[in-house]
């Protein structure tokens, strides 16, 4: 994956996709596979915004049953089923527990009904994906961290999990392979029209600050929260902030769905890369769109919600990292009563203008493939092209072509021979799929690369070097926040940042001054807070 800004020059595109989160990535990938001439531009790094700040769940959304959003649950569960098959390295099953306490808002019968419905919508024949009820003893064996006072037992049910930023990256790699021009650090400044039809846009290379005109027949804005800048139309959407805290490992390999006692909202504790994600909040976004921050109220809310369930409560000192994302919620103009952000549907909508400009509003990572297919369908109709969706049931670009379990067993055996520890090897396969072979080749040349970067986390130097050389990372934080999420999973010191920057310097063509700049950039953004 090489960034080539000059490749946009003197080309005429059918479709320009603005915004390189999960919606833009799926749109560019599908459109390129259907034979359209596509460019996608992203003002920062791929997935730098909400698509790397989600709960990382590929799920139907059990809680949406409470608001009778059956259509969304059913659609998302169908996508979940497909992604588990087409991307077994990227999307993997994750079981959740829901404890049943004597005092809770939703009782055992209501939960049972919800889970029966959830399994029905999932339509999965595999009993491993069905819900079950465990008595007090069994449930606490699964979740020994839970406060047992008034605990009757609990349900477990299946959903799925991913690494959101890497999901986007793999789709961008797929789009490039299919012929799309994919440029990060490239901002769309404004679009151009002739006789009421869009025919181009002015884009800016964010690395050199040079601007150029790009020619295109259609444009789609998959700009997430920045949609508001494009349309100045607040009637279309409402923005809500969601934060996650990264907490120490307390779960085995199962997650928890819990209800906050203060306001009855659902929140999660999710195992991820060996640690625990605690999230999320859901509050109306106030203030600057470009600098969404995490404040003390958000942190206190989540810690208090979790501590109501934990035998050993957490304090602020236990927080390892945090991240924030912004949901774009479709505004319901018919609703007379102002509703809380949590009560608004997560479903998605496309608004198309007669000039050939389209705006994607809202949605979920889980259903983004299907929504993107609708964007490309609409674009194809306007262009008079007849090509069906190309991503349905299609194996992911880095998915093994043979049986996933046979492939992973063979790859893990090779990892043992190379001296890679079992946990790092397991994550390597999730992170890189078939490209893990390239990482093994690096270790064959330099055995030292099997060392972990941080002893407590399953990321090895060979992984870092591979990401630095092949994954279009421009800055140090592109590598350490999204290619490998070290900046949120550990408290990196300035020294460690410098050591990593020096290690990758020759691959990134960085001299001493650039190393200094990159470390400073990371330090300012990630260490002072
Ligand atoms: C806290 C939280 C938890 C969530 N958890 C889940 C979950 O577990 N499962 C799930 O399915 N969904 C989840 N979601 C929803 C999901 O994360 C979002 O629906 C999805 O990431 C939105 O993707 P996007 O591509 O629309 O937006 P974004 O990821 O925000 O991407 C928009 C991109 O457009 C770029 N951009 C903006 N303006 C320009 C411009 N002028 N030129 C070039 N580029 C531009 C931005 O830099 C940005 O990268 C969650 C959301 C939040 C907030």
């Amino acid at each position: 994956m090489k960034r080539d800004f000059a490749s946009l020059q003197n080309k005429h595109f059918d479709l320009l996709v603005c915004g390189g989160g999960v919606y833009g990535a799926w749109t560019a990938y599908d459109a390129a596979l259907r034979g359209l001439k596509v460019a996608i531009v992203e003002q920062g790094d791929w997935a730098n915004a909400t698509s790397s700040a989600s709960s990382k769940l590929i799920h139907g959304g059990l809680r949406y049953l409470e608001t009778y959003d059956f259509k969304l649950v059913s659609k998302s569960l169908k996508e979940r089923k497909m992604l588990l098959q087409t991307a077994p390295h990227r999307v993997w099953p994750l079981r959740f527990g829901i404890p049943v306490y004597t005092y809770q808002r939703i009782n055992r019968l209501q939960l049972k009904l919800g889970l029966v419905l959830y399994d029905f919508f999932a339509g999965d024949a595999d009993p491993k994906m069905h819900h079950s009820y465990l008595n007090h003893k069994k449930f606490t064996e699964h979740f020994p961290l839970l406060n047992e006072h008034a605990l009757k037992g609990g349900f477990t049910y299946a959903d799925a999990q991913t690494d959101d930023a890497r999901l986007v990256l793999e789709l961008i790699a797929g789009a490039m392979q299919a012929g799309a021009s994919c440029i990060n650090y490239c901002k769309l400044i404004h679009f151009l029209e002739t006789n009421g039809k869009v025919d181009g846009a002015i884009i800016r290379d964010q690395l050199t600050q040079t601007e150029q005109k790009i020619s295109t027949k259609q444009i789609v804005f998959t700009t997430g929260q920045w949609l508001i800048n494009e349309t100045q139309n607040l009637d279309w959407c409402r923005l809500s902030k969601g934060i996650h805290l990264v907490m120490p490992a307390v779960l085995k390999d199962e997650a928890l769905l819990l209800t906050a006692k203060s306001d009855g909202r659902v929140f999660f504790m999710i195992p991820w890369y060996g640690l625990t994600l605690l999230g999320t909040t859901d509050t109306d976004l106030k203030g600057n769109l470009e600098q969404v921050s995490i404040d003390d109220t958000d942190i206190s809310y989540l810690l208090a919600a979790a501590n109501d369930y934990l035998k050993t409560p957490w304090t602020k000192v236990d927080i390892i990292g945090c991240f924030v994302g912004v949901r774009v919620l479709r505004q319901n103009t018919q609703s007379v009563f102002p509703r809380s952000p949590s009560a608004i549907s997560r479903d998605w909508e496309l608004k198309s203008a007669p000039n050939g400009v389209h705006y994607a509003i809202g949605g979920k990572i889980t259903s983004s493939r299907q929504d993107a297919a609708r964007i490309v369908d609409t674009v194809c109709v306007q262009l008079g092209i007849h090509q069906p969706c190309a991503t349905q049931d299609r194996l992911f670009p880095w998915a093994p072509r043979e049986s996933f379990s046979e492939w992973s067993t063979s790859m893990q055996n090779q990892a043992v021979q190379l001296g890679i520890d079992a946990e790092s090897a397991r994550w390597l396969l999730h992170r890189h799929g078939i490209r893990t072979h390239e990482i093994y080749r690096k270790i064959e040349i330099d055995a030292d690369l099997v060392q972990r970067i941080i002893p407590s986390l399953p990321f090895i130097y060979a992984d870092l070097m591979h990401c630095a050389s092949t994954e279009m990372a421009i800055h140090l934080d592109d590598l350490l926040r999204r290619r490998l999420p070290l900046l949120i999973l550990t408290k990196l010191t300035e020294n460690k940042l410098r050591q990593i920057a020096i290690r990758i310097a020759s691959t990134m063509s960085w001299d001493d001054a650039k190393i200094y700049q990159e470390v400073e950039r990371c330090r300012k953004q990630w260490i002072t807070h």
Side-chain angles (χ1 to χ4, degrees):
M1 296 173 75
K2 284 263 173 278
R3 180 181 184 274
D4 184 5
F5 184 78
S7 70
L8 298 177
Q9 250 165 12
N10 305 323
K11 279 217 191 113
H12 299 276
F13 292 99
D14 295 317
L15 174 64
L16 172 63
V17 182
C18 175
V22 73
Y23 272 86
W26 269 122
T27 304
Y29 184 37
D30 189 0
L33 287 171
R34 293 197 214 188
L36 271 66
K37 288 192 211 97
V38 190
I40 174 167
V41 294
E42 163 53 55
Q43 64 182 357
D45 185 25
W46 303 117
N48 74 86
T50 301
S51 297
S52 59
S54 78
S55 304
K56 289 108 180 55
L57 298 178
I58 299 299
H59 64 159
L62 186 61
R63 76 175 187 83
Y64 308 137
L65 291 177
E66 256 201 292
T67 46
Y68 307 110
D69 214 338
F70 298 144
K71 201 173 120 226
L72 177 64
V73 175
S74 163
K75 165 182 165 184
S76 304
L77 285 172
K78 285 197 179 77
E79 284 297 307
R80 183 191 80 182
K81 189 175 178 187
M82 189 197 330
L83 290 168
L84 282 165
Q85 284 160 4
T86 54
H89 62 303
R90 179 67 54 228
V91 176
W92 54 91
L94 176 67
R95 272 200 95 74
F96 279 74
I98 314 177
V100 176
Y101 285 92
T102 45
Y103 51 77
Q104 71 193 33
R105 180 174 66 87
I106 305 173
N107 64 34
R108 179 172 164 184
L109 181 65
Q110 288 168 310
L111 278 173
K112 173 79 190 169
L113 282 174
L115 288 165
V116 168
L117 210 55
Y118 204 64
D119 284 348
F120 169 76
F121 282 134
D124 209 311
D126 183 353
K128 280 205 292 261
M129 298 299 280
H130 295 170
H131 80 276
S132 63
Y133 185 77
L134 304 178
N135 62 23
H136 178 283
K137 184 171 175 292
K138 285 245 167 68
F139 196 76
T140 49
E141 277 166 21
H142 281 252
F143 300 102
L145 69 154
L146 287 178
N147 184 344
E148 290 176 39
H149 176 67
L151 179 70
K152 293 205 276 190
F155 289 95
T156 69
Y157 74 98
D159 250 321
Q161 184 180 36
T162 190
D163 177 331
D164 45 5
R166 293 204 64 79
L167 168 64
V168 173
L169 200 72
E170 181 169 354
L171 297 174
I172 292 293
M176 289 182 90
Q177 212 175 356
S181 298
C182 304
I183 319 287
N184 59 357
Y185 290 96
C186 176
K187 182 171 180 164
L188 187 146
I189 306 299
H190 58 85
F191 62 80
L192 307 164
E193 274 179 296
T194 305
N195 301 328
K197 287 278 170 209
V198 71
D199 60 359
I202 300 295
I203 51 166
R204 183 198 296 144
D205 184 342
Q206 303 276 76
L207 304 181
T208 59
Q209 301 306 321
T210 47
E211 290 189 4
Q212 80 172 49
K213 188 181 159 201
I214 178 171
S215 158
T216 184
K217 294 178 189 157
Q218 302 261 304
I219 296 184
V220 57
F221 285 93
T222 49
T223 45
Q225 70 218 57
W226 286 270
L227 189 66
I228 283 187
N229 289 349
E230 285 321 312
T231 60
Q232 300 297 326
N233 194 340
L234 286 164
D235 289 350
W236 285 9
C237 55
R238 178 168 165 182
L239 302 183
S240 135
K241 182 172 86 161
I243 77 149
H244 286 86
L245 302 179
V246 180
M247 305 304 294
V250 285
L251 298 159
K252 294 176 182 169
D253 46 8
E254 292 175 316
L256 278 167
L257 180 151
L258 301 165
T259 311
K261 284 192 188 151
S262 60
D263 61 1
R265 277 194 55 249
V266 162
F267 69 100
F268 298 110
M269 282 190 197
I270 302 166
W272 201 60
Y273 287 116
L275 296 174
T276 310
L277 301 183
L278 171 63
T280 165
T281 56
D282 198 349
T283 49
D284 277 318
L285 178 70
K286 298 182 188 88
N288 188 348
L289 200 67
E290 304 292 335
Q291 281 175 346
V292 184
S293 61
I294 295 175
D295 49 50
D296 271 354
T297 330
D298 300 322
I299 294 175
S300 304
Y301 170 86
L302 281 181
L303 286 183
N307 285 343
D308 278 329
Y309 288 94
L310 293 177
K311 263 187 199 147
T312 313
W314 279 323
T315 67
K316 283 186 185 168
V317 177
D318 296 309
I319 300 172
I320 297 166
C322 52
F323 53 90
V324 58
V326 178
R327 295 177 191 85
V328 178
L329 306 170
R330 283 187 312 147
Q331 191 75 278
N332 183 354
T333 42
Q334 264 102 60
S335 175
V336 186
F337 305 106
R339 297 194 291 168
S340 76
S342 304
I344 300 176
S345 171
R346 268 48 179 161
D347 209 354
W348 171 89
E349 188 180 350
L350 183 70
K351 287 204 190 277
S352 295
N355 60 355
V357 180
H358 313 270
Y359 303 92
I361 309 166
K364 292 175 68 188
I365 291 180
T366 310
S367 43
S368 52
R369 187 209 61 81
Q370 200 186 114
D371 299 335
R374 267 192 44 211
I375 299 177
V376 185
D377 286 346
T378 309
V379 167
C380 282
V381 168
Q382 295 211 0
L383 293 174
I385 294 171
H386 303 284
Q387 280 294 337
C389 166
T391 54
Q392 167 108 21
D393 293 321
R394 185 187 197 93
L395 273 183
F396 263 45
W398 301 343
R401 268 46 193 165
E402 66 265 43
S403 133
F404 181 68
S405 66
E406 281 167 28
W407 173 81
S408 41
T409 309
S410 143
M411 289 297 284
Q412 277 174 11
N413 290 340
Q414 289 177 52
V416 172
Q417 278 160 20
L418 288 167
I420 307 172
D421 70 89
E423 197 198 359
S424 299
R426 188 168 65 87
W427 282 110
L428 268 184
L429 305 187
H430 281 315
R431 293 168 43 68
H432 296 279
I434 50 174
R435 300 187 79 211
T436 309
H437 279 298
E438 296 171 32
I439 295 176
Y440 288 179
R441 239 169 273 140
K442 280 194 159 57
I443 297 171
E444 279 160 9
I445 297 165
D446 179 357
D448 263 4
L449 293 176
V450 293
Q451 300 302 325
R452 286 183 171 208
I453 305 167
I454 300 289
S456 59
L457 291 173
F459 304 102
I460 59 173
Y461 275 102
D463 190 343
L464 174 76
M465 300 311 285
H466 174 81
C467 295
S469 58
T470 64
E471 294 192 343
M472 214 193 282
I474 305 295
H475 293 291
L476 186 57
D477 52 314
D478 299 344
L479 275 171
L480 300 184
R481 168 63 181 93
R482 286 166 291 278
R483 307 301 182 280
L484 313 102
L486 284 175
L487 282 165
I488 52 169
L489 295 180
T490 184
K491 290 177 177 158
L492 285 177
T493 62
E494 195 179 335
N495 265 348
K496 189 70 193 178
L497 282 179
R498 190 167 304 108
Q499 189 204 331
I500 294 173
I502 291 170
R503 188 97 186 225
I504 56 171
S506 66
T507 310
M508 303 290 288
S509 308
W510 289 349
D511 59 15
D512 286 353
K514 181 71 175 158
I515 292 173
Y516 175 79
Q517 259 177 31
E518 289 296 332
V519 172
E520 274 300 282
R521 181 186 151 105
C522 258
R523 189 186 61 75
K524 280 193 192 131
Q525 204 184 336
W526 295 97
I527 301 189
T528 50
H529 295 294

